[in-house]
Amino acid sequence: MSTTESTATARETTLTSVDPATGAVVATHPIADEAAVRAAVAQARIAAATWGALGYADRRRHLLRWGSRLVARADEFCELIHAENGKPRDDAYLELTLALEHIHWAAVNAEKVLKPKKVSPGLLMANFAAYIEQRPLGVIGVIGPWNYPVYTPNGSIAYALAAGNAVVFKPSEYSTSIGNYFARAFAEANPELPEGVFGTVNGYGATGAALVHAGVDKIAFTGSTATGKKIMAAAAADLTPVLLECGGKDAVIVAADADIAAAADAVAFGATMNGGQTCAGVERVYVDRSIRDEFIAEVKRILSSVRPGSDAKAAYGPMTMPSQIDVVRRHIDNALNNGGTAVLGGPESVKAPYIEPVVLLDTDENSEAVQEETFGPTVTIRTVSGIDEAVELANNSRYALGSTVFSRKQGLAIARRLRAGQTSVNSVLGFAAISALPFGGLGDSGIGRIHGAPGLLEFTSPHSIAVQRFAIPGMALLSYARTERTMNLLRKVVPLIHGRHR
Ligand code: NAD
């Protein structure tokens, strides 16, 4: 068994997570088999009855207490994130901060977004009152990735809880201790709540697959597109709804009127931070010919002093999942074999478990390196002759997650032409830090939205209620008591309402 990655065989009953920088064991966890997963879901269903029956104010209090507990333990938690995921402690703290923002947003906005709404019954049903009420779904199965092991699954967890659901969370096998710490903090902050409002099941893909079949009311998955497709196919057997947050191949457009220094800074950071292991990280850049040389020189200048490591001064850590190193190496080779040139780094930049920044220029747009998610600290840059070409190439992807535009005058207009779930203008990843903005993708990047009001609505089901306030004599439309006179009246009224438009 490799000492540098989390592994299991069919016979193993425990999962050992390791520090990706050193291979040192971080923790060992029992693997939840199908029976254990079903038991966790059953316990969550009991807890959901209590949690769902609480008012918004009570749930808000419990969620905010959880946030405060995480703040009180932040140093310990960030140390664990650093050890198990490999990212620098400061990055861990930033990730925790953003998760806290979302816990807070979901807690304080749930009532406003989800409270019953009265809607117009329309002229024909004017004797009715009509309401839309959002009901919690019950138990949400959350399956998470390892790259942002707190922030990413929290986009489902905090919003599902705030909407009144219980959660069973299957953290990634590469961040199991982090996921369990996160859930334990909720229970410790709220000892009076029944066990199972927010619980975990641990294991590899098989445990996630068991969760999909364990009778949950929705699966909220974040991870690779390939796994997302498997989950959707499996969930179809029971018509279990799915929220899928999958991969991306995010593009940046740098227009002729861009602030070149700001764009270069954003590309350098967005492409390499977290070792490029960011779903909405920068993977492709389309830069206007007129500013290309200056832009590339600035990107190179910044990245020349950016280096990975595990020490306090390192900009980013090791690759968390060892098998990803091969993908990154393959994409660098593929770029160079498809017309690309390396303007910074190259194949020699892969020094497992670390990968130094790599900047690749003018690789064929149809190559694997430009079309597939690399998920490493590399970026491809292509020269374009204007906005139309940049937009066309940026949109030429089976993925459609995030995107970025740098332009002093046309930022918003260019953003509106991009096929993406979210776009940041004159900054990188701005959307990910604004809790009110929904986040998600199109195409192979996924289905549904986390964060913001849509992120709360994802975890509810609308219940429509029509209340007849009084009967209108002779106007019983939905009854065998309907008369000829009523239908004659209807034939006069309908053309007046719907037949006037020419
Ligand atoms: P992954 O698909 O390998 O694993 C994700 C989770 O799914 C893990 O917990 C894993 O154990 C589980 N799993 C694996 N097989 C399963 C199965 N058959 N049934 C149920 N669960 C199963 O992804 P990863 O390597 O952990 O994460 C990296 C990927 O996540 C990248 O593609 C990245 O772009 C994506 N991601 C997307 C977002 C987003 O918001 N769109 C955020 C972060 C990461």
Side-chain angles (χ1 to χ4, degrees):
M1 183 168 111
S2 159
T3 51
T4 54
E5 77 179 287
S6 305
T7 52
T9 67
R11 278 170 286 110
E12 274 177 322
T13 53
T14 58
L15 176 166
T16 298
S17 74
V18 298
D19 181 329
T22 63
V25 170
V26 173
T28 298
H29 301 272
I31 291 175
D33 60 11
E34 267 191 47
V37 171
R38 285 196 177 274
V41 172
Q43 184 174 46
R45 193 157 303 285
I46 295 167
T50 306
W51 178 248
L54 292 178
Y56 287 103
D58 281 339
R59 281 200 292 267
R60 169 186 160 136
R61 187 166 46 83
H62 290 300
L63 287 165
L64 295 180
R65 267 206 227 151
W66 173 36
S68 293
R69 176 89 181 179
L70 289 165
V71 172
R73 301 286 165 92
D75 286 346
E76 186 182 71
F77 194 23
C78 291
E79 196 58 41
L80 176 64
I81 296 170
H82 169 68
E84 195 172 53
N85 169 282
K87 67 180 68 187
R89 293 169 182 84
D90 281 358
D91 284 7
Y93 194 83
L94 180 60
E95 180 176 348
L96 176 60
T97 303
L98 295 181
L100 290 165
E101 289 276 306
H102 279 292
I103 291 171
H104 186 268
W105 197 93
V108 304
N109 287 286
E111 181 164 15
K112 190 168 77 186
V113 174
L114 301 177
K115 71 182 174 197
K117 302 210 170 32
K118 201 167 179 201
V119 295
S120 165
L123 198 60
L124 288 180
M125 304 293 278
N127 55 329
F128 277 69
Y131 302 94
I132 308 170
E133 303 199 356
Q134 300 295 336
R135 306 260 179 264
L137 295 172
V139 178
I140 309 298
V142 176
I143 300 175
W146 45 264
N147 60 335
Y148 291 90
V150 179
Y151 172 80
T152 293
N154 179 64
S156 297
I157 294 164
Y159 288 76
L161 289 171
N165 303 279
V167 168
V168 178
F169 174 36
K170 205 298 275 177
S172 164
E173 50 272 43
Y174 294 96
S175 54
T176 306
S177 312
I178 299 167
N180 283 274
Y181 191 104
F182 194 48
R184 215 165 37 244
F186 180 87
E188 285 166 359
N190 297 293
E192 68 275 39
L193 289 175
E195 211 179 315
V197 173
F198 173 19
T200 51
V201 289
N202 301 321
Y204 297 85
T207 303
L211 185 56
V212 177
H213 284 303
V216 294
D217 299 292
K218 184 160 190 164
I219 283 287
F221 165 78
T222 310
S224 65
T225 301
T227 306
K229 287 179 181 178
K230 280 189 210 161
I231 287 178
M232 189 164 174
D238 307 316
L239 281 189
T240 302
V242 292
L243 164 66
L244 302 177
E245 298 288 347
C246 302
K249 189 73 183 173
D250 288 9
V252 178
I253 292 179
V254 186
D257 70 340
D259 176 336
I260 296 173
D265 179 70
V267 164
F269 180 75
T272 62
M273 59 114 183
N274 210 39
Q277 303 163 113
T278 302
C279 56
V282 172
E283 298 236 348
R284 302 178 285 151
V285 178
Y286 299 101
V287 59
D288 193 90
R289 194 173 302 282
S290 61
I291 55 165
R292 163 196 130 135
D293 291 348
E294 201 183 330
F295 170 77
I296 291 173
E298 185 60 8
V299 171
K300 270 179 72 174
R301 189 192 63 75
I302 299 168
L303 286 180
S304 300
S305 58
V306 166
R307 67 162 178 85
S310 259
D311 55 290
K313 293 216 171 109
Y316 58 86
M319 300 301 285
T320 309
M321 185 168 73
S323 58
Q324 196 65 29
I325 296 171
D326 294 333
V327 176
V328 178
R329 188 186 285 118
R330 197 176 73 232
H331 282 193
I332 296 170
D333 291 344
N334 180 267
L336 298 176
N337 290 334
N338 282 279
T341 48
V343 291
L344 182 75
E348 71 284 3
S349 304
V350 180
K351 297 171 180 167
Y354 301 103
I355 303 181
E356 290 166 354
V358 178
V359 180
L360 299 153
L361 191 60
D362 288 338
T363 299
D364 183 349
E365 281 298 297
N366 295 316
S367 64
E368 188 186 7
V370 179
Q371 290 298 327
E372 295 301 321
E373 183 180 53
T374 305
F375 225 53
T378 70
V379 62
T380 63
I381 300 180
R382 180 156 204 95
T383 317
V384 293
S385 308
I387 297 305
D388 289 347
E389 187 185 358
V391 168
E392 191 185 325
L393 293 177
N395 286 344
N396 179 30
S397 174
R398 66 188 178 96
Y399 296 106
L401 192 59
S403 51
T404 307
V405 177
F406 274 85
S407 167
R408 285 196 169 90
K409 295 217 178 92
Q410 303 178 67
L412 196 52
I414 298 169
R416 289 182 173 136
R417 295 175 63 189
L418 291 174
R419 180 172 175 268
Q422 42 278 322
T423 303
S424 195
V425 177
N426 294 333
S427 84
V428 70
L429 290 165
F431 46 74
I434 299 173
S435 302
L437 285 179
F439 182 96
L442 300 160
D444 270 10
S445 290
I447 295 173
R449 293 293 181 268
I450 53 171
H451 302 165
L456 286 163
L457 289 164
E458 280 281 353
F459 299 107
T460 61
S461 142
H463 184 177
S464 300
I465 303 180
V467 180
Q468 179 164 291
R469 293 177 299 136
F470 54 86
I472 305 177
M475 270 304 283
L477 288 175
L478 305 173
S479 159
Y480 288 125
R482 195 171 62 205
T483 63
E484 209 180 316
R485 196 174 143 264
T486 305
M487 288 311 296
N488 286 340
L489 188 62
L490 200 60
R491 287 197 171 88
K492 284 194 181 116
V493 171
V494 166
L496 290 178
I497 305 173
H498 300 292
R500 293 176 294 121
H501 307 287
R502 298 279 181 263

